[in-house]
Amino acid sequence: RVLEMTAEESERRRFQLEETHAELQHQRNAAVAAAAESRKQREDAERAREGMKRLEQEQLKRAQQRREAKAKRRARKQLAAQREQLDPVSESSGESSNESA
């Protein structure tokens, strides 16, 4: 009888160990999957940050180009106004000579 009890106890303990081992394996697999997901999320977040930086740089570049174009237009307009002040007749000289003729 004692041998039967120990055999049953041994079988029960072996079964418990197998269950514990399976549970630990399951937890390990879950931890590995969670770590992989976490790494993927970090990488996705990093890519998103890089994309936002690129977008911001492009927007800054376009804004700078717009400012430069505006400055060029303003400079051209000022230059034309200065020319007009220096030689107001040259602009309308063609019209006045036609009118006098």
Side-chain angles (χ1 to χ4, degrees):
R1 263 189 176 164
V2 173
L3 286 175
E4 286 178 13
M5 291 279 284
T6 36
E8 286 177 10
E9 183 66 23
S10 175
E11 183 65 22
R12 188 166 44 251
R13 285 188 180 175
R14 187 180 68 76
F15 181 73
Q16 285 177 340
L17 283 174
E18 286 175 357
E19 279 189 334
T20 303
H21 176 71
E23 179 60 28
L24 288 173
Q25 193 68 26
H26 175 71
Q27 289 175 358
R28 180 183 176 280
N29 291 343
V32 167
E37 180 63 25
S38 176
R39 182 173 54 249
K40 181 183 179 300
Q41 288 176 351
R42 276 194 311 274
E43 290 169 355
D44 289 349
E46 181 61 28
R47 274 194 296 278
R49 277 192 296 277
E50 289 171 2
M52 290 299 289
K53 283 181 189 176
R54 252 191 326 274
L55 181 61
E56 185 179 346
Q57 289 299 317
E58 289 172 7
Q59 289 173 337
L60 289 172
K61 183 179 174 182
R62 283 195 297 271
Q64 179 64 29
Q65 289 171 339
R66 283 193 302 272
R67 284 191 296 273
E68 290 171 358
K70 189 174 182 180
K72 284 180 184 177
R73 284 193 302 271
R74 193 178 307 118
R76 278 193 228 110
K77 199 180 265 187
Q78 286 177 345
L79 187 59
Q82 289 173 353
R83 284 184 185 145
E84 178 65 28
Q85 286 176 350
L86 292 175
D87 192 9
V89 182
S90 67
E91 185 87 18
S92 58
S93 64
E95 295 173 356
S96 19
S97 62
N98 285 344
E99 288 174 9
S100 62

